[in-house]
C-alpha cells in the first residue's frame, strides 16, 4: 500500500507540474502572438494605438508640469526659450523613467495638443471644471 501511495503521489505531482507548465507556455505564446507578431493591418492598428496612448500620456504630463508652474517665466513674444523646453523634458523623463535613460520629448507638440483640446490658454492651465467642460464640448462636437 505504501508503494502504491508513493507511485500515485509521484504521478499526481508530475501531472500537476506539466499542467502548470502547459498553462504558462500557453500564456506566453498567446502574449507573443497577440502583442509582438502583428502583421499587415493588425500591425498598423497596434502602432496607431500605441502612438495615441503615448501622445495622451505626453500631453497629460505636460499639463501636470504646467500646473506645477513649469512655465512661469521664459516666454517672450509667445515663444519658449530652450531652457524652459529642457525643464519640461526633464520633468517628463523624471516622471516616466525608471532608470537614467532620457527620452527626447516634443514639448511644443504636447502644448499644441493641449491648446487644441482647449485645456491651456497662453501656457496657463485651465481649472478642472473648465477643462472638463472643454473636453465635453469637443466630444459633443465630434458626434454632430
Amino acid at each position: 500500500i505504501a508503494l502504491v501511495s508513493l507511485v500515485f503521489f509521484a504521478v499526481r505531482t508530475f501531472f500537476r507540474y506539466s499542467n502548470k507548465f502547459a498553462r504558462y507556455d500557453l500564456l506566453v505564446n498567446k502574449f507573443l502572438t497577440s502583442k509582438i507578431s502583428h502583421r499587415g493591418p493588425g500591425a498598423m492598428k497596434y502602432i496607431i494605438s500605441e502612438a495615441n496612448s503615448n501622445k495622451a500620456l505626453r500631453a497629460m504630463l505636460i499639463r501636470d508640469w504646467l500646473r506645477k508652474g513649469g512655465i512661469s517665466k521664459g516666454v517672450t513674444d509667445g515663444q519658449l526659450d530652450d531652457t524652459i523646453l529642457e525643464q519640461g523634458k526633464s520633468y517628463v523623463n523624471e516622471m516616466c523613467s525608471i532608470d537614467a535613460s532620457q527620452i527626447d520629448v516634443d514639448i511644443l507638440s504636447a502644448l499644441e495638443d493641449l491648446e487644441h483640446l482647449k485645456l491651456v490658454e497662453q501656457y496657463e492651465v485651465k481649472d478642472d471644471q473648465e477643462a472638463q467642460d472643454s473636453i465635453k464640448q469637443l466630444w459633443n462636437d465630434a458626434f454632430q
Side-chain angles (χ1 to χ4, degrees):
I1 260 186
L3 184 60
V4 171
S5 295
L6 185 62
V7 169
F8 180 71
F9 175 75
V11 168
R12 187 181 70 177
T13 304
F14 171 76
F15 282 123
R16 279 189 180 172
Y17 173 76
S18 64
N19 191 19
K20 285 181 183 179
F21 182 74
R23 281 186 289 173
Y24 174 75
D25 192 43
L26 178 66
L27 174 69
V28 169
N29 287 336
K30 187 175 182 182
F31 173 78
L32 289 176
T33 57
S34 69
K35 297 293 182 195
I36 296 174
S37 64
H38 287 292
R39 298 183 198 286
M44 187 57 77
K45 279 182 174 177
Y46 178 73
I47 290 170
I48 289 171
S49 172
E50 288 299 310
N52 288 333
S53 295
N54 286 333
K55 188 176 181 181
L57 177 64
R58 180 186 65 188
M60 184 225 27
L61 287 170
I62 295 302
R63 183 176 185 269
D64 187 47
W65 172 64
L66 289 173
R67 202 165 202 188
K68 291 181 179 180
I71 301 178
S72 55
K73 53 189 170 194
V75 179
T76 56
D77 298 330
Q79 298 293 324
L80 298 174
D81 64 8
D82 290 338
T83 56
I84 296 293
L85 296 176
E86 288 300 319
Q87 288 173 357
K89 286 179 187 180
S90 64
Y91 178 82
V92 171
N93 281 306
E94 178 184 314
M95 297 303 288
C96 290
S97 293
I98 56 173
D99 56 9
S101 64
Q102 296 290 308
I103 303 165
D104 186 25
V105 181
D106 190 358
I107 304 296
L108 294 175
S109 291
L111 288 169
E112 287 174 9
D113 291 340
L114 290 170
E115 287 174 356
H116 175 72
L117 292 171
K118 299 177 183 167
L119 298 177
V120 297
E121 279 183 14
Q122 301 296 321
Y123 307 118
E124 294 293 323
V125 178
K126 291 184 178 181
D127 65 14
D128 289 338
Q129 187 59 45
E130 272 187 278
Q132 287 178 1
D133 293 341
S134 296
I135 294 293
K136 283 180 186 176
Q137 184 63 40
L138 284 171
W139 185 256
N140 290 334
D141 291 345
F143 289 106
Q144 288 183 3

